[in-house]
Amino acid sequence: MTIARQMRLGVSIRYLGYHAAAWRHPEADPGAASKLSHFIRLAQTAEAAKLDMVFLADGIGLRTRDDPPGALCRSHQTAELEPLTLLSALSAVTSRIGLVATASTTYNEPFHIARKWASLDHLSGGRAGWNIVTSWSEAEAWNFNREQHMDYDLRYERAAEFVEVVKGLWDSWEGDALVHDKASGIFFDQSKLHWLNHKGKHFQVRGPLTIARTPQGRPILVQAGASEQGLEIAAQSADVVYTGALNLDSAKAYYVNLKDRMAKYGRARDDLKIMPGITLFIGQTEEEAQAKYKQLNDLVEPELGLSYLYSQMGDLSAYPLDGPVPEPKDPASAAWRRTTWRSPGGRT
């Protein structure tokens, strides 16, 4: 018998969209990213369209830089709501769609994450998901008593232990532990409450979590890392992985690489879903879609557009916008030619 397979679809609803000029579109409300009504409309539209999840990426520092000068004040990707608070509100006005938000393993404690996401899972009736990140920008370190990040390997080592602690805390209560026996006065079966007693390199967490087992058993785990350490975390724990492959061959190679790692953790290949990211410009015809894309691109101010190139190519503000891309002064710096970068239009 052939089993029908369905594609999983989600939508990222951060900011006013990922295009650098999205807020300048004639029909856009520039202040919508701070309005609950805006996100209610998006979440309910996605749910009505039978999408599987809405997703809120997050950063805990202002990553946009004023390079070249004048770029920062032109970026709408600078003001946003805290995602878990927002998803808690959306849980009350939706009933089926998954609610996934990002939280950093570098600037949180496992008990915080376990408690907050378990609460969202209960409030939403079993629709919560945690997107695991380690944080990458110095701007985030500056907000948490640090001048710079802990080094890359240490961040991922901490992240791997962090995830295991969170999962352990979510297992504090068995599903039928809360018996609520009014006659005997027994609120819960103590044999079904478990202390974690975790003692590791980065964390010592006794537990238990002070929230009953969630409707899903635990929230789903989402991850987006493509590094060696990130792939191992995904293979061991993730239910969903976001990817951004630039072509079919690299997408297939990533798929095989990740799925092949799962067996050593006792997981079946279908236990993990891979969801490639894409930015869409939709029209009844290709010409209409291209016109919409061009309309937004025409609204990108030069300073902001140049900022997207800054980290790869340096300050190009002294060169004519319609002129050729200058050759690097140092031939060794030509490595930027091989660097992946994201355009103001959301394309890679």
Side-chain angles (χ1 to χ4, degrees):
M1 181 179 65
T2 301
I3 299 176
R5 300 181 64 187
Q6 290 185 311
M7 184 181 295
R8 271 68 172 180
L9 296 172
V11 59
S12 179
I13 59 174
R14 192 180 188 187
Y15 304 126
L16 297 173
Y18 284 89
H19 194 285
W23 69 277
R24 299 187 69 198
H25 190 280
E27 297 179 15
D29 173 3
S34 298
K35 297 177 180 178
L36 177 59
S37 58
H38 167 71
F39 291 102
I40 289 175
R41 180 177 62 83
L42 293 179
Q44 290 180 340
T45 300
E47 183 171 74
K50 304 296 190 294
L51 270 64
D52 293 279
M53 69 168 72
V54 293
F55 168 57
L56 280 166
D58 189 40
I60 43 181
L62 185 60
R63 295 170 177 171
T64 305
R65 297 166 52 184
D66 200 29
D67 297 321
L72 179 61
C73 66
R74 289 172 165 82
S75 174
H76 77 282
Q77 298 178 357
T78 49
E80 59 185 335
L81 298 172
E82 191 282 314
L84 201 65
T85 304
L86 176 55
L87 290 187
S88 295
L90 294 181
S91 73
V93 294
T94 57
S95 60
R96 299 181 303 278
I97 197 164
L99 305 168
V100 180
T102 294
S104 170
T105 60
T106 305
Y107 299 113
N108 281 290
E109 288 291 320
F111 197 91
H112 289 142
I113 299 302
R115 186 172 184 237
K116 292 175 181 179
W117 262 260
S119 296
L120 179 61
D121 207 49
H122 278 286
L123 292 175
S124 65
R127 295 183 284 134
W130 169 35
N131 180 44
I132 304 160
V133 301
T134 62
S135 295
W136 56 267
S137 71
E138 296 299 328
E140 291 164 298
W142 299 335
N143 289 336
F144 291 88
N145 298 312
R146 300 181 65 93
E147 288 298 319
Q148 61 185 24
H149 274 315
M150 62 181 72
D151 69 59
Y152 186 90
D153 289 338
L154 188 61
R155 289 205 313 273
Y156 271 92
E157 180 184 85
R158 173 188 164 99
E161 184 179 341
F162 191 113
V163 173
E164 291 308 300
V165 174
V166 170
K167 288 163 49 180
L169 287 169
W170 282 334
D171 285 335
S172 294
W173 298 84
E174 295 182 27
D176 57 350
L178 301 182
V179 295
H180 301 158
D181 189 338
K182 292 182 177 180
S184 67
I186 301 299
F187 188 76
F188 71 93
D189 182 343
Q190 193 164 331
S191 69
K192 297 182 178 181
L193 171 64
H194 307 292
W195 278 259
L196 182 60
N197 291 319
H198 174 88
K199 293 184 179 181
K201 178 177 178 179
H202 300 279
F203 304 105
Q204 294 188 40
V205 182
R206 178 177 180 266
L209 191 65
T210 54
I211 296 177
R213 191 168 190 86
T214 77
Q216 293 185 94
R218 63 164 176 80
I220 70 164
L221 296 175
V222 182
Q223 206 261 354
S227 67
E228 184 67 21
Q229 300 96 321
L231 288 168
E232 285 299 315
I233 292 173
Q236 183 175 7
S237 300
D239 303 295
V240 176
V241 169
Y242 299 140
T243 65
L246 303 182
N247 56 63
L248 185 58
D249 287 341
S250 62
K252 288 180 176 179
Y254 179 88
Y255 180 96
V256 172
N257 185 4
L258 177 54
K259 295 279 188 169
D260 283 352
R261 297 169 185 255
M262 297 177 67
K264 64 185 174 186
Y265 297 110
R267 304 184 69 201
R269 296 169 76 87
D270 285 343
D271 289 344
L272 185 153
K273 308 302 179 187
I274 298 177
M275 299 180 70
I278 185 171
T279 303
L280 299 174
F281 296 86
I282 300 172
Q284 294 294 323
T285 64
E286 182 175 352
E287 289 75 16
E288 182 183 345
Q290 288 286 353
K292 291 181 178 180
Y293 182 57
K294 182 179 185 302
Q295 179 186 21
L296 283 176
N297 284 346
D298 288 345
L299 294 172
V300 178
E301 289 293 310
E303 294 87 351
L304 186 57
L306 289 170
S307 73
Y308 280 75
L309 299 174
Y310 195 95
S311 62
Q312 287 79 27
M313 303 174 69
D315 187 357
L316 300 178
S317 58
Y319 296 92
L321 291 177
D322 296 325
V325 176
E327 291 290 334
K329 294 180 180 179
D330 178 8
S333 69
W336 59 260
R337 296 183 182 278
R338 301 184 297 273
T339 303
T340 299
W341 63 281
R342 184 166 294 279
S343 75
R347 290 184 174 181
T348 302

